[in-house]
Amino acid sequence: MINKIRSIRSSTRKPNILVIGDLMIDHYITGSASRLSPEAPVPIVNVKNESFTLGGAGNVVQNLVALGAQVTVAGVIGNDTAGVQLIEILSNEGVQTHTIIKDESRPTTVKTRVLAGSHQLVRIDREITDPVSEAIADKLLKELVNYLEKADIVVLSDYNKGLFSSSFTQKLIQEATRYNKRVIIDPKGLNYEKYKGAYIIKPNRKELAEAAQLEKVDSLESLQHAAKIIFKQTGAVYLVVTLSEEGMLILSESGYKLLPVKATEVFDVTGAGDTVLATMAYFIAAGLTIEEAGELANHAAAIVIRQVGSATTTIDEIIQDMKNSTL
């Protein structure tokens, strides 16, 4: 397997991946809080640092770039300062942004977190999560046609911010299918029927239970039962269920494969789902099987959850992690 990955890394042809998703900015204000405000019983934060990073589908994009993919990203942002900032960060990563549409009627989603040391005091969200207008969705679809043709694989990163209405999601999947492109989806919400025709749907355990309308999914039997319900709704080829510290489960209509977790230490699971999604998309686009891609995604997840905050990993780090786990 390591030799396979090395040959993918040294290949001159990079996997070409189209990411369509909810784009947002993560804004962090960090400082110290040593006294309460005289105006209200709240801490006063003395700001030491402020940073802006990509959130939502942007985290999937950064994971793909770190692996060495050629990425085009599509989505809807506002015609505002945060939107300019988002395009700038993506362009600096070498990502194609021609398929990002500006919508005058909504702001770019910004999540501002105020932290004192490592303690989060408050989160402020600027966003509109109503469905994007049909006109904007049609404009985006029109822009995407050329890029669908060139993509090796299509990734939908749904954060429930209004982009993936049922009709738009179905039009997208149908258009991708017309070009024989496989679609991998990170789902949100309860309506999985809108993902009909996907190649892979990747929920976590909680999302799967909610979508299948089961109280809990805590055993292999209940996972298979929940998967059956989703397969019936969507006709997906595979379900990849992330199971936190237990690893991940790859399910098809005919069977399953459990991939135990590779992490020895867990510091922060933030963004690990995005890493799994990106790693699987990258290696499937590069020609590996879903089982091989899942194995590598497990190693990638193990690397990022040892770090604090959303992190990315590289092929070299995955190779190193594989070597370490066989010692």
Side-chain angles (χ1 to χ4, degrees):
M1 176 84 106
I2 287 176
N3 288 339
K4 264 190 192 179
I5 312 168
R6 282 197 177 121
S7 71
I8 290 168
R9 184 191 55 189
S10 59
S11 166
T12 50
R13 193 189 175 282
K14 292 179 169 186
N16 189 332
I17 298 174
L18 174 59
V19 178
I20 305 160
D22 291 305
L23 297 163
M24 57 190 90
I25 292 270
D26 282 336
H27 174 207
Y28 294 91
I29 298 169
T30 52
S32 56
S34 54
R35 62 198 178 100
L36 290 177
S37 167
E39 300 155 20
V42 293
I44 296 171
V45 178
N46 185 8
V47 177
K48 298 273 192 284
N49 190 31
E50 204 173 348
S51 65
F52 298 87
T53 60
L54 294 174
N59 191 35
V60 179
V61 169
Q62 285 182 311
N63 273 278
L64 285 164
V65 169
L67 289 166
Q70 191 177 327
V71 187
T72 299
V73 63
V76 176
I77 59 172
N79 189 11
D80 50 21
T81 312
V84 171
Q85 200 174 23
L86 192 142
I87 298 263
E88 198 178 307
I89 298 170
L90 285 164
S91 300
N92 289 342
E93 294 267 9
V95 174
Q96 299 281 335
T97 59
H98 312 298
T99 45
I100 294 177
I101 304 287
K102 286 180 181 166
D103 184 346
E104 298 286 344
S105 70
R106 60 202 295 140
T108 303
T109 298
V110 179
K111 293 181 180 178
T112 300
R113 296 168 178 86
V114 181
L115 299 103
S118 58
H119 182 63
Q120 186 174 316
L121 302 179
V122 68
R123 190 178 103 182
I124 303 150
D125 289 4
R126 293 180 187 88
E127 63 182 12
I128 290 175
T129 58
D130 299 340
V132 300
S133 71
E134 214 169 301
I136 291 284
D138 287 346
K139 189 179 175 186
L140 181 57
L141 199 60
K142 220 168 266 174
E143 286 287 329
L144 282 170
V145 172
N146 295 334
Y147 293 90
L148 278 168
E149 205 173 349
K150 294 173 197 156
D152 292 317
I153 211 155
V154 179
V155 175
L156 306 190
S157 177
D158 189 349
Y159 272 81
N160 226 1
K161 301 297 177 194
L163 178 63
F164 293 105
S165 66
S166 290
S167 65
F168 177 66
T169 310
Q170 270 304 287
K171 282 177 190 170
L172 257 181
I173 294 171
Q174 284 160 14
E175 201 61 33
T177 307
R178 200 162 71 82
Y179 287 105
N180 291 321
K181 307 298 175 182
R182 290 169 295 184
V183 180
I184 300 185
I185 301 174
D186 200 344
K188 274 285 182 300
L190 303 179
N191 175 21
Y192 276 33
E193 286 194 358
K194 68 179 182 180
Y195 303 130
K196 203 173 275 185
Y199 179 62
I200 297 172
I201 302 174
K202 190 208 72 63
N204 60 32
R205 189 200 302 261
K206 183 173 176 283
E207 288 165 341
L208 177 67
E210 287 169 354
Q213 296 183 324
L214 298 171
E215 203 169 311
K216 54 182 178 178
V217 176
D218 54 1
S219 66
L220 193 51
E221 288 72 34
S222 57
L223 278 160
Q224 287 174 285
H225 176 53
K228 261 191 189 123
I229 295 167
I230 303 303
F231 281 131
K232 200 173 178 186
Q233 284 176 9
T234 63
V237 182
Y238 293 103
L239 271 184
V240 174
V241 186
T242 51
L243 303 170
S244 201
E245 65 283 347
E246 289 172 49
M248 70 170 80
L249 187 66
I250 298 172
L251 297 124
S252 67
E253 296 252 31
S254 57
Y256 68 87
K257 182 168 186 182
L258 180 63
L259 302 173
V261 75
K262 303 292 180 187
T264 46
E265 299 163 298
V266 177
F267 287 113
D268 191 348
V269 295
T270 307
D274 290 334
T275 300
V276 167
L277 182 71
T279 310
M280 291 202 74
Y282 179 86
F283 285 110
I284 289 169
L288 297 191
T289 66
I290 185 169
E291 288 82 6
E292 290 169 330
E295 187 73 33
L296 297 171
N298 235 357
H299 281 285
I303 295 162
V304 300
I305 63 178
R306 290 185 203 125
Q307 300 166 58
V308 176
S310 288
T312 60
T313 187
T314 63
I315 289 186
D316 283 338
E317 287 170 340
I318 291 171
I319 290 171
Q320 194 51 54
D321 196 71
M322 289 174 82
K323 285 179 178 171
N324 293 346
S325 65
T326 56
L327 293 176

